[in-house]
Amino acid sequence: MATRMILGAIRKRAVLFLPPIFCLSHPTLVIAEHEGGAVKAPSISAVAAAKSLSDDASISVLLAGSGPSLHEAASHAASCHPSISQVLVADSDKFKNPLAEPWAKLVHLAQQSGGYSHIIAASNSFGKNVVPRAAALLDVSPITDVIGISESHTFVRPIYAGNALSTVRYTGANPCILTIRPTSFPVSQKTVDSKPSQASISQVDLSTFDEDLGKSRYISHTSQDSERPDLGNARVVVTGGRALKSAENFKMLEKLANKLGAAVGATRAAVDAGFVPNDLQVGQTGKIVAPELYMAFGVSGAIQHLAGMRDSKVIVAVNKDGDAPIFQVADYGLVGDLFEVIPELLEKLPEKKYSIICIPSFL
């Protein structure tokens, strides 16, 4: 009976929130991140946020890097969203690696030539790294982690670990610089599938670019190869807490994620205990996620963790403690031993992967 309740939650659908539209007569610049010849999903969400400023907003996307991958990403940017009117490409070895100092100077250079009213980036590690430096060069105050746009200069952002929402109005000089929470500005499948007109692609004039790039240098980049979806963009997330007790027990959670086509997440306590790497951490100091289905096993529901997942469409919680705070935000809660519940789910789910988009009829 308990597992049927959890399996039933998998079928629940979510309605995408489309922010209201307001008027804006000035161009907007989106600072975009790319990888493997494509613009990353959080940057496309930043375009959706820029679109919500005005129906007829002129949106330019700024890309930087070097080599064929950059030009593939530029082609992708030119056709990935119908609202993009121009793609600006800075092709130089100075941008081969995404260091914040050269990127900030590039944004400053683009603003000097473009005169943008708004500059928008995703509130991820890339955006949080670049935006404060760019804002300092432009002598303006950025507004961070925006989750809603009320007017062209009025925004909603969470405070107190997401327990309250603050409405702020920007009264400074142009440009108004924002970082937006990508999960709050989803890009609908209809937009992705549409066939927009190709935006123009222009090269940024780097002849006046300052070559003194400051006090940092690129050392190396490491990543883990996995067939599972990226945690920040996954439509299903399966998260474990310290109650899993060991890295070996986390493999049960990984098996469940594989069957659901889900990403694996973890609490800070599980990361600090060394069960999983810190790139899987969900929470205020980790990744902010808002999947269609969030399954939490052995997660107590500390306020810092809730700040990273409370916007999930459907939340399922399994915990032995019936008074755990996670049950206050869960749509479905089961007081039980995760070491009994997870094996039962693994037994009843088929070997074939299913995503949240395609749910088998027996569920």
Side-chain angles (χ1 to χ4, degrees):
M1 174 66 79
T3 53
R4 271 189 212 153
M5 175 186 69
I6 295 176
L7 291 170
I10 297 175
R11 290 186 291 180
K12 194 150 182 178
R13 298 294 194 273
V15 178
L16 292 178
F17 169 76
L18 295 178
I21 306 296
F22 297 91
C23 291
L24 178 69
S25 57
H26 300 290
T28 299
L29 179 69
V30 172
I31 304 172
E33 186 180 12
H34 65 93
E35 185 178 40
V39 178
K40 287 191 173 183
S43 295
I44 300 178
S45 292
V47 174
K51 174 64 176 174
S52 72
L53 291 166
S54 172
D55 251 338
D56 56 354
S58 173
I59 300 173
S60 298
V61 171
L62 178 63
L63 292 171
S66 63
S69 177
L70 171 64
H71 299 286
E72 290 174 14
S75 298
H76 176 241
S79 58
C80 69
H81 197 287
S83 299
I84 297 174
S85 56
Q86 184 183 31
V87 178
L88 302 175
V89 178
D91 188 353
S92 170
D93 287 339
K94 302 181 183 74
F95 307 108
K96 183 177 180 180
N97 303 304
L99 291 175
E101 285 81 5
W103 257 101
K105 292 182 179 182
L106 176 62
V107 173
H108 182 260
L109 178 65
Q111 175 62 23
Q112 286 180 320
S113 59
Y116 300 100
S117 66
H118 291 72
I119 297 177
I120 301 178
S123 185
N124 53 13
S125 57
F126 174 76
K128 291 176 181 178
N129 204 19
V130 173
V131 164
R133 291 171 170 84
L137 291 176
L138 293 167
D139 196 24
V140 297
S141 297
I143 301 174
T144 60
D145 214 21
V146 169
I147 64 170
I149 297 176
S150 301
E151 296 177 358
S152 62
H153 286 79
T154 305
F155 313 99
V156 179
R157 62 185 302 273
I159 56 175
Y160 302 124
N163 285 286
L165 298 179
S166 173
T167 300
V168 296
R169 182 169 182 81
Y170 180 75
T171 58
N174 283 347
C176 175
I177 299 185
L178 313 172
T179 62
I180 60 96
R181 186 174 290 185
T183 55
S184 298
F185 298 91
V187 180
S188 68
Q189 192 61 37
K190 182 179 179 181
T191 300
V192 174
D193 293 339
S194 64
K195 299 186 183 301
S197 57
Q198 193 88 358
S200 63
I201 300 176
S202 304
Q203 298 292 322
V204 177
D205 182 6
L206 298 175
S207 59
T208 60
F209 189 82
D210 185 1
E211 294 200 22
D212 180 13
L213 299 181
K215 304 169 183 176
S216 65
R217 63 189 179 91
Y218 178 83
I219 301 296
S220 65
H221 173 75
T222 59
S223 62
Q224 292 188 339
D225 295 330
S226 174
E227 294 182 0
R228 286 189 293 270
D230 176 67
L231 177 59
N233 304 312
R235 304 185 75 177
V236 185
V237 174
V238 178
T239 292
R242 183 166 45 192
L244 278 159
K245 300 180 181 179
S246 69
E248 186 67 26
N249 289 334
F250 247 90
K251 292 180 181 179
M252 287 195 308
L253 216 60
E254 293 172 358
K255 289 179 182 178
L256 181 60
N258 289 338
K259 288 196 173 186
L260 292 172
V264 174
T267 63
R268 178 171 181 173
V271 170
D272 289 347
F275 300 164
V276 290
N278 59 9
D279 60 333
L280 298 185
Q281 182 178 326
V282 174
Q284 187 177 17
T285 55
K287 293 185 178 179
I288 307 295
V289 300
E292 293 190 9
L293 175 64
Y294 188 87
M295 304 179 74
F297 294 90
V299 175
S300 63
I303 187 172
Q304 291 84 0
H305 182 76
L306 298 182
M309 47 67 70
R310 68 191 318 150
D311 291 332
S312 302
K313 311 307 184 292
V314 180
I315 300 172
V316 176
V318 177
N319 198 298
K320 284 201 298 186
D321 181 5
D323 296 324
I326 189 70
F327 290 122
Q328 297 177 13
V329 299
D331 298 286
Y332 299 88
L334 171 62
V335 179
D337 188 341
L338 64 88
F339 292 105
E340 297 175 0
V341 175
I342 295 178
E344 190 174 352
L345 285 170
L346 289 172
E347 181 184 346
K348 294 190 176 181
L349 284 168
E351 289 300 324
K352 185 178 179 181
K353 288 183 182 178
Y354 288 98
S355 72
I356 195 68
I357 305 172
C358 179
I359 302 299
S361 59
F362 68 84
L363 294 180

